[in-house]
Amino acid sequence: MEPVATVSPAVATIPVTGVASPVPPSAARQLFSRGQEIVGAALMNKRPWSEMVDRSTFAKPESLKDAMSRLHKNLNYFRINYGILMLVVVALSLLVNPSSIFFIALVLAGWTYLFLVRKEPLIVFGRTFSEREVVLSMTGISIPFIVFSGIVNVLLSAGLIGLFLIAAHGAFKVPDDLFLLDDDQEAAASSGGSFFPAFFLGSTGAAGSLPVAMSRV
């Protein structure tokens, strides 16, 4: 009896083509997402507005040193409220300059579409642009657009007005014991870190600490 040869079936490998690979999230999109998380966490640590505008706690400072001491303590305590106040002043300044709103809306619309709405690679005249090229191109377009549209002057004026209001409030607002930070916290708040975390990180006293999401940034 002759042996029967056994032929094992070959496993055919069929290449899959035509399936678009997902576009990895860009650094700018990740930055926008992280910024939203930071802002949301910071707003949770906002001080009550009634406490900020209580007229019974206002008094003329005895000296320049006293005014600076009050301002330093109030900046640490009302940092988020001051940030919101600055944004309100900027928004009101833009409202009285409708042309500035139009130009800012155009710039924001471009950035929003390219880095938050767009899911596919950017292709212009058959050429695919990388995320780095998109960022550089938008930056090169946005800066001259903002400078020559007069938005810079509006923002500078609003910033000066906001700083004046914050300085006046901080100098005339008499801080209570609840306002005081521990030595370690005050040193951390005034240490040489970046402005954004130093501005939004609040004390761990009466208002509690920020959520874990803030501490991981």
Side-chain angles (χ1 to χ4, degrees):
M1 183 177 180
E2 297 181 357
V4 179
T6 303
V7 180
S8 58
V11 179
T13 303
I14 302 176
V16 179
T17 59
V19 179
S21 58
V23 178
S26 65
R29 190 176 293 113
Q30 293 177 355
L31 180 61
F32 276 115
S33 178
R34 180 60 61 87
Q36 291 176 349
E37 294 177 2
I38 294 176
V39 172
L43 290 177
M44 295 178 62
N45 206 39
K46 175 177 61 65
R47 308 297 181 178
W49 292 103
S50 58
E51 184 178 358
M52 183 177 177
V53 298
D54 185 3
R55 291 188 299 175
S56 63
T57 60
F58 286 89
K60 182 180 178 180
E62 298 178 356
S63 62
L64 179 60
K65 182 179 180 180
D66 182 32
M68 295 301 296
S69 176
R70 291 183 184 182
L71 179 59
H72 176 70
K73 294 172 183 177
N74 286 320
L75 280 174
N76 285 329
Y77 190 75
F78 289 114
R79 65 183 70 232
I80 298 175
N81 300 70
Y82 286 154
I84 296 174
L85 175 62
M86 180 68 76
L87 292 177
V88 170
V89 173
V90 171
L92 291 177
S93 299
L94 293 175
L95 286 177
V96 298
N97 295 274
S99 60
S100 300
I101 298 179
F102 174 75
F103 289 118
I104 289 180
L106 287 180
V107 174
L108 291 179
W111 283 92
T112 301
Y113 171 77
L114 290 175
F115 299 104
L116 296 180
V117 178
R118 178 179 59 93
K119 301 300 182 181
E120 296 80 16
L122 181 63
I123 302 176
V124 179
F125 298 115
R127 183 180 183 277
T128 302
F129 287 80
S130 65
E131 293 296 330
R132 181 175 179 274
E133 291 174 328
V134 174
V135 172
L136 292 177
S137 299
M138 281 299 298
T139 302
I141 295 174
S142 300
I143 292 178
F145 195 77
I146 291 176
V147 170
F148 292 108
S149 62
I151 300 176
V152 174
N153 294 331
V154 175
L155 295 180
L156 285 177
S157 301
L160 291 175
I161 295 174
L163 289 176
F164 173 79
L165 294 176
I166 292 173
H169 180 274
F172 284 85
K173 178 76 172 178
V174 180
D176 297 326
D177 292 339
L178 294 177
F179 287 36
L180 302 179
L181 297 176
D182 294 335
D183 294 338
D184 294 340
Q185 295 170 333
E186 189 170 355
S190 59
S191 61
S194 62
F195 173 79
F196 191 79
F199 185 82
F200 282 107
L201 290 178
S203 64
T204 56
S209 60
L210 283 176
V212 179
M214 173 68 77
S215 63
R216 293 179 178 176
V217 177

